[in-house]
Amino acid sequence: TYLQCHNLTDECKELLRSLASENGWLPTSHHLYQGFWYITRHLNGVLSAQHHFKAQDSDIFLLSQPKSGTTWLKAILLALLNRSRYSEPDRQLLLDHPLLQKNPHDLVLHLETRLYVEGTNPDLSSFTSPRLFATHIPFVSLPESVKESKCKLVYMCRNPKDTFVSLWHFTREMSPNDIGTNTLEEAFDMFCRGFSMFGPHWDHVLGYYKASLEMPHKVLFLKYEEMKDKPSEQLKRLADFLGCPFSREEEADGRVDEIIRLCSFNNLSKLEVNQTGKLLTGHENKSFFRKGEVGDWVNYLTPEMVERIDRITEEKFGDLGLKF
Ligand code: A3P
């Protein structure tokens, strides 16, 4: 069982005895902890991060649900924060950009799936300021110091229908030989019931959306669709929020567009490293690049499915005016 197949901390093993568990999506169990679903390994990482991670005021966090545009935002944040290093004194330096050599997931690490996944307290002393981290942990379960410090949180969310379709493809690819994979209908039902990795999807979004309304200086709420539609506007918004606005010279120099091009689906997905490489965890890099479009759900969902999921979205988000 799941208790035997992982390097789990005693605390995690103990806790697992009292948590509701469910199977689906992947050939591994999911557990309901503080209102959200985690696979066993990730739960180990969440608990460890909650215990050990100490935020610094200058830290920057990327937050999201899986399949909401995490890979893209990792690339954008890296390019934005390191922009002076990779353009001065000459543009040739762009060719050395880390994003051209590595997948964004090996450059910006997730707390629960990478840094803390073994249940240990990793040495973060080599991180330079501002430290950049990512996590799918919902707002309620963030390590306390993340909420209490002045660190900045950038949340990326995406239309629930596209997020679902992307998640369905991704989990099928991650499951060897179709073991444990679900039909589209089964997966859709699970998603709508709130059972998905780091879900319920809507509660996750709401946690961060409310936090962004209450603490606009701490939490920035981005939408995948807006990023696609008006990338330069959104990138400048992000830079302003992080306290590193583009200067007039940089804008005139085309630096905003340069970052958008570097991080675009077309550019990143065609790089050799992302076509044939693997993450340090063994994941295929190409699994993070599928279509990268808005509205692909029309090719998968029936009118009944659309009605069901739209109704949930309206019920959950309608009062707050959050629309997709
Ligand atoms: P699709 O499956 O709809 O194509 P995440 O990074 O959170 O895992 O999300 C993955 C989704 O983002 C996938 O969506 C993927 O194709 C898309 N994506 C990856 N890189 C992107 C980029 N640079 N620009 C836009 N979308 C991107």
Side-chain angles (χ1 to χ4, degrees):
T1 71
Y2 53 78
L3 284 176
Q4 287 152 353
C5 54
H6 299 288
N7 239 347
L8 303 179
T9 60
D10 290 343
E11 185 206 1
C12 186
K13 284 186 195 157
E14 188 55 36
L15 180 70
L16 280 169
R17 294 182 213 285
S18 63
L19 299 183
S21 297
E22 195 165 332
N23 293 320
W25 294 105
L26 295 169
T28 169
S29 298
H30 291 68
H31 317 277
L32 188 62
Y33 173 63
Q34 299 183 338
F36 291 83
W37 290 100
Y38 303 92
I39 62 168
T40 317
R41 255 173 87 66
H42 296 168
L43 179 65
N44 204 43
V46 172
L47 296 175
S48 176
Q50 286 182 334
H51 280 315
H52 299 299
F53 183 77
K54 292 278 168 290
Q56 298 176 358
D57 288 342
S58 55
D59 286 348
I60 296 169
F61 268 84
L62 187 180
L63 307 120
S64 63
Q65 277 262 293
K67 316 330 288 173
S68 299
T70 319
T71 316
W72 190 16
L73 188 54
K74 278 188 177 181
I76 288 176
L77 282 169
L78 266 172
L80 180 66
L81 295 169
N82 293 296
R83 66 188 194 263
S84 57
R85 227 159 110 199
Y86 291 99
S87 73
E88 303 293 339
D90 78 69
R91 293 277 161 101
Q92 274 303 309
L93 274 175
L94 253 187
L95 297 175
D96 290 334
H97 203 289
L99 283 168
L100 303 182
Q101 332 287 339
K102 288 186 177 178
N103 179 277
H105 291 287
D106 275 341
L107 294 167
V108 182
L109 304 180
H110 265 71
L111 296 187
E112 70 286 0
T113 65
R114 292 291 286 271
L115 286 167
Y116 290 85
V117 70
E118 302 299 340
T120 49
N121 187 11
D123 178 9
L124 304 180
S125 58
S126 63
F127 281 65
T128 52
S129 177
R131 305 185 307 175
L132 184 53
F133 299 105
T135 180
H136 294 312
I137 300 176
F139 188 74
V140 290
S141 300
L142 284 176
E144 278 308 311
S145 66
V146 175
K147 292 190 226 173
E148 283 158 12
S149 72
K150 294 201 176 87
C151 69
K152 301 252 182 189
L153 313 184
V154 181
Y155 187 76
M156 177 76 126
C157 82
R158 189 180 188 190
N159 179 317
K161 297 191 283 273
D162 281 337
T163 308
F164 162 72
V165 169
S166 185
L167 183 65
W168 183 64
H169 284 282
F170 185 73
T171 50
R172 278 167 75 85
E173 258 187 45
M174 278 181 35
S175 303
N177 311 321
D178 283 353
I179 309 169
T181 57
N182 306 100
T183 63
L184 182 79
E185 289 72 21
E186 286 165 343
F188 183 77
D189 184 59
M190 295 192 296
F191 191 82
C192 287
R193 285 193 287 110
F195 172 49
S196 59
M197 252 187 285
F198 302 94
H201 172 81
W202 293 268
D203 295 355
H204 198 282
V205 175
L206 275 180
Y208 284 103
Y209 186 60
K210 285 181 184 161
S212 75
L213 297 178
E214 284 159 19
M215 299 172 280
H217 298 296
K218 184 173 179 72
V219 187
L220 180 71
F221 193 85
L222 297 173
K223 286 183 180 167
Y224 182 96
E225 294 74 21
E226 289 179 354
M227 199 74 142
K228 273 270 180 194
D229 189 33
K230 295 196 169 131
S232 51
E233 202 173 278
Q234 296 300 315
L235 181 58
K236 285 191 254 175
R237 205 180 142 219
L238 178 60
D240 291 347
F241 172 77
L242 294 176
C244 56
F246 287 94
S247 65
R248 264 167 211 262
E249 296 75 49
E250 282 180 309
E251 280 199 45
D253 227 14
R255 307 303 314 285
V256 176
D257 293 335
E258 184 180 284
I259 291 176
I260 291 166
R261 254 196 324 274
L262 173 68
C263 301
S264 69
F265 182 87
N266 256 342
N267 188 49
L268 292 184
S269 65
K270 288 192 181 129
L271 296 173
E272 162 112 27
V273 61
N274 290 326
Q275 294 212 332
T276 59
K278 285 187 178 181
L279 293 185
L280 293 174
T281 54
H283 261 88
E284 303 254 12
N285 289 345
K286 66 174 187 297
S287 67
F288 293 97
F289 303 93
R290 192 181 62 94
K291 276 194 176 171
E293 286 171 6
V294 173
D296 189 40
W297 59 265
V298 295
N299 299 311
Y300 294 90
L301 305 186
T302 64
E304 292 73 29
M305 287 170 149
V306 172
E307 202 198 309
R308 179 173 175 195
I309 195 168
D310 281 351
R311 198 172 53 235
I312 299 170
T313 302
E314 177 57 31
E315 276 167 20
K316 292 275 189 180
F317 295 167
D319 287 349
L320 287 167
L322 186 53
K323 292 220 179 320
F324 288 93

